[in-house]
Amino acid sequence: MLIINSYEEFASHLGEELGHSEWLAIDQERINLFADATLDHQWIHVDTERAKTESPYKSTIAHGYLTLSLLPHLWDEIIQVNNIKMLVNYGMDKMRFGQPVVTGSRVRLVTKLHNIQNLRGICKTEIDFKIEIEGQRKPALEGIASFLYYFI
């Protein structure tokens, strides 16, 4: 895990890979709970019997936004930023879903520090990210995530 204690330490990693998370299993229970939370019960996500016969994947798949929603958890496995009052999710750029996550797959986050700015004491980071699927060449999701770190 990368430990950051200041803006200067963060900035020293510009252009570098920051690390990757552990693999996380995407099972049907997680997908069903996400469907309940978002009220998105499309059959391709929750109807395992129908998916076996009608889905091109022969299985249910995770919601794309479920995959995206894992970003904060997986990010916390990569980096620990100390000496902050607050962290704000600021935005997403160039985000693209590359391929679906078939139920039973495992995913992980891989990151690189794309840009960093000191905005009058607020550290704005832009993180290149990919959510990879174990055993697959093409990522499930990639883009640039922006975070604001308010250092003490």
Side-chain angles (χ1 to χ4, degrees):
M1 175 176 285
L2 178 62
I3 298 175
I4 299 293
N5 293 300
S6 67
Y7 173 84
E8 292 76 20
E9 281 185 27
F10 221 146
S12 73
H13 294 281
L14 183 61
E16 295 178 4
E17 183 174 303
L18 300 175
H20 57 81
S21 69
E22 298 295 320
W23 291 104
L24 178 69
I26 307 300
D27 60 16
Q28 191 62 52
E29 180 182 10
R30 185 181 309 276
I31 293 168
N32 291 344
L33 289 169
F34 187 83
D36 290 343
T38 60
L39 306 177
D40 180 355
H41 293 93
Q42 186 183 145
W43 69 266
I44 193 111
H45 304 302
V46 297
D47 189 336
T48 56
E49 291 307 310
R50 184 175 176 186
K52 285 178 189 175
T53 58
E54 294 184 39
S55 166
Y57 312 104
K58 303 301 178 202
S59 173
T60 54
I61 59 173
H63 304 72
Y65 288 115
L66 166 56
T67 306
L68 174 62
S69 74
L70 297 171
L71 186 65
H73 167 73
L74 298 173
W75 178 236
D76 284 346
E77 290 187 356
I78 294 171
I79 192 167
Q80 176 182 322
V81 182
N82 298 322
N83 305 315
I84 59 171
K85 296 184 278 189
M86 183 170 48
L87 164 63
V88 174
N89 295 320
Y90 189 66
M92 294 283 170
D93 292 307
K94 300 181 181 177
M95 192 184 78
R96 298 286 180 266
F97 294 102
Q99 69 173 328
V101 177
V102 175
T103 305
S105 298
R106 295 192 329 157
V107 298
R108 75 173 180 179
L109 177 64
V110 178
T111 60
K112 178 180 174 184
L113 182 56
H114 178 79
N115 194 21
I116 186 166
Q117 297 173 308
N118 185 342
L119 305 175
R120 293 176 292 209
I122 300 168
C123 173
K124 179 183 178 190
T125 61
E126 295 176 353
I127 309 298
D128 284 334
F129 72 90
K130 287 183 186 177
I131 296 184
E132 299 179 335
I133 305 168
E134 189 174 37
Q136 299 292 316
R137 183 185 59 78
K138 194 173 184 182
L141 177 64
E142 60 187 321
I144 301 171
S146 298
F147 302 109
L148 300 178
Y149 290 91
Y150 292 74
F151 281 98
I152 298 172

